[in-house]
Amino acid sequence: MGPGGVADSLLSGACVLFTLGMFSTGLSDLRHMQMTRSVDSVQFLPFLTTDINNLSWLSYGVLKGDGTLIVVNAVGAVLQTLYILVYLHYSPQKRAVLLQTATLLGVLLIGYGYFWFLVPDLEAQLQQLGLFCSVFTISMYLSPLADLAKVIQTKSTQCLSFSLTIATLLTSSSWSLYGFRLKDPYIMVPNLPGILTSFIRLWLFWKYPQKQDRNYRLLQT
């Protein structure tokens, strides 16, 4: 294996490691739900949208024949599905949770039907599915901007997770480089906003240090 092959293997490994590390941050929510037997302070929508995102990128990876995309998103989909099932188990509003899940899954199934039956050309499938995955991923990275505005207004970063910020930065950076190496803009471009928002969050942590926040102090010790 030449230097280029070694670099690609290391980059692929970094994508897998950092992404699974980011997905595993949900384990803290899982433990919280099990310990308190409730879903208080746990948001459901991020689990659901991340699961849909994983399934979409998994389909793209299968079409493209990319093992890195397949492994990461298959494991990610399993983890997010686990989080969803635990949330459903402890949620007092099961009907609303099931309705949201069924709605997004219905949209996903319609999308699958469109790509598999109405777009027979493989190259066209890759382009259109890649575009959908890119737009969906960008929207997920930009969705927490409301939290950033809240931080500036309140001058407190208590609503932000420092560990998740670092995980997002590493994950976005590795996937951007991976997409650049593959010359695949559908992988590279949607991860650039993740890098940008991560640096903004780090600046906010520096600007408004969590002097009163126990979780942040524990991360620094």
Side-chain angles (χ1 to χ4, degrees):
M1 183 182 294
V6 173
D8 288 342
S9 297
L10 290 174
L11 185 55
S12 176
C15 289
V16 173
L17 179 64
F18 294 147
T19 308
L20 295 184
M22 185 176 68
F23 290 156
S24 67
T25 57
L27 292 173
S28 60
D29 289 331
L30 185 67
R31 286 193 295 269
H32 173 79
M33 288 186 286
Q34 290 179 321
M35 291 177 63
T36 62
R37 304 186 69 82
S38 73
V39 294
D40 293 340
S41 74
V42 177
Q43 293 183 328
F44 172 70
L45 199 56
F47 295 150
L48 183 57
T49 54
T50 304
D51 203 4
I52 299 298
N53 194 46
N54 286 147
L55 292 172
S56 300
W57 279 111
L58 176 59
S59 301
Y60 184 77
V62 170
L63 282 177
K64 193 177 178 68
D66 189 302
T68 303
L69 282 173
I70 292 172
V71 170
V72 165
N73 289 287
V75 175
V78 170
L79 282 175
Q80 300 305 322
T81 301
L82 174 63
Y83 300 154
I84 289 172
L85 291 175
V86 174
Y87 188 99
L88 178 62
H89 177 72
Y90 292 114
S91 175
Q93 300 178 331
K94 290 181 171 54
R95 177 171 296 185
V97 171
L98 287 172
L99 181 60
Q100 292 180 52
T101 304
T103 300
L104 274 184
L105 285 179
V107 172
L108 185 65
L109 288 175
I110 292 173
Y112 279 152
Y114 169 76
F115 287 118
W116 292 115
F117 298 112
L118 299 180
V119 187
D121 182 65
L122 177 61
E123 191 62 31
Q125 286 181 349
L126 277 172
Q127 290 178 356
Q128 295 186 30
L129 183 56
L131 181 61
F132 170 80
C133 291
S134 297
V135 172
F136 198 88
T137 300
I138 290 173
S139 67
M140 287 183 61
Y141 277 134
L142 296 181
S143 60
L145 288 179
D147 290 336
L148 302 187
K150 180 181 177 182
V151 168
I152 295 174
Q153 289 176 350
T154 61
K155 296 183 176 5
S156 171
T157 51
Q158 187 171 1
C159 64
L160 300 181
S161 168
F162 185 78
S163 59
L164 182 58
T165 299
I166 296 298
T168 301
L169 175 61
L170 294 174
T171 300
S172 301
S173 300
S174 59
W175 280 112
S176 293
L177 288 173
Y178 187 76
F180 178 77
R181 290 284 295 182
L182 293 181
K183 296 181 173 58
D184 189 331
Y186 300 122
I187 297 176
M188 180 182 69
V189 173
N191 285 285
L192 296 177
I195 299 174
L196 176 62
T197 55
S198 295
F199 276 118
I200 293 175
R201 289 185 184 194
L202 289 175
W203 178 79
L204 289 173
F205 277 113
W206 172 80
K207 179 78 172 175
Y208 307 115
Q210 296 179 322
K211 297 177 181 178
Q212 75 281 12
D213 294 341
R214 183 175 61 90
N215 291 338
Y216 185 69
R217 290 203 304 270
L218 290 175
L219 285 170
Q220 291 186 316
T221 57

